[in-house]
Amino acid sequence: MSKLVTYGLLFVLFGLLILIRWFENDLFYDPYLIFFKNDYLYADSPKVEVFKLITYTVLRYVLNTLISLAILFVLFKDKSIIKFSGFIYVIAFIVLMLGYLYFVFNPKQDTYYIFFNVRRFLIQPIILIVLLPAFYYNKLKY
């Protein structure tokens, strides 16, 4: 791929991540968006439709994951990086979703901060932010 095509693809892919974040209120059911923007440490957990919440959280995680894997492929053009990253994303999904479900079904004010961070890893491309410099460093090193 030429550099122009690579930069264009990266622009589009990062743009998609930005659009997901920008239109999150319109695209996804998540009553916790408003809850965590307010003074949530002193409020009761909002009432949620659990199936709908989980479905939209999984959808958002899958969209972010697919776009993130595409970004990694465009940058590094290495299938082994994509396989390893896919494995990381699957393991992270299992662990994070178990924690997320626990907090959804057992909301307690003293665990809201942990819940907030677990949820953040599920709905935002934070894993990409960790993997990009790691693979870049590895590429420079070897």
Side-chain angles (χ1 to χ4, degrees):
M1 264 189 278
S2 72
K3 285 191 178 206
L4 184 63
V5 172
T6 300
Y7 291 141
L9 283 172
L10 288 173
F11 180 78
V12 168
L13 291 168
F14 277 108
L16 288 172
L17 288 176
I18 291 167
L19 287 173
I20 288 172
R21 171 77 176 179
W22 188 268
F23 292 107
E24 65 188 355
N25 290 322
D26 301 322
L27 296 173
F28 306 105
Y29 169 76
D30 191 352
Y32 292 111
L33 288 171
I34 296 166
F35 177 69
F36 285 120
K37 285 182 183 174
N38 297 323
D39 198 11
Y40 65 89
L41 292 176
Y42 304 105
D44 290 331
S45 182
K47 301 291 182 208
V48 298
E49 296 177 46
V50 175
F51 180 76
K52 191 174 180 182
L53 176 68
I54 292 168
T55 301
Y56 279 97
T57 302
V58 169
L59 174 64
R60 188 164 177 183
Y61 186 84
V62 168
L63 288 173
N64 283 334
T65 298
L66 293 175
I67 295 167
S68 298
L69 289 174
I71 289 170
L72 291 171
F73 183 75
V74 169
L75 281 173
F76 298 106
K77 298 167 189 68
D78 186 348
K79 289 182 183 178
S80 65
I81 286 177
I82 304 308
K83 287 179 186 176
F84 180 74
S85 299
F87 177 74
I88 295 293
Y89 275 101
V90 168
I91 296 300
F93 176 76
I94 292 167
V95 171
L96 292 168
M97 191 51 89
L98 288 174
Y100 184 72
L101 291 173
Y102 172 78
F103 292 122
V104 167
F105 288 116
N106 301 300
K108 297 178 186 147
Q109 285 185 335
D110 58 337
T111 60
Y112 284 168
Y113 186 70
I114 298 168
F115 177 41
F116 172 76
N117 286 300
V118 167
R119 185 181 149 278
R120 177 181 276 178
F121 271 88
L122 282 168
I123 67 168
Q124 297 174 1
I126 295 175
I127 298 172
L128 176 67
I129 295 169
V130 172
L131 291 178
L132 270 176
F135 289 135
Y136 181 73
Y137 178 77
N138 186 51
K139 184 178 176 182
L140 290 177
K141 192 86 170 160
Y142 300 102

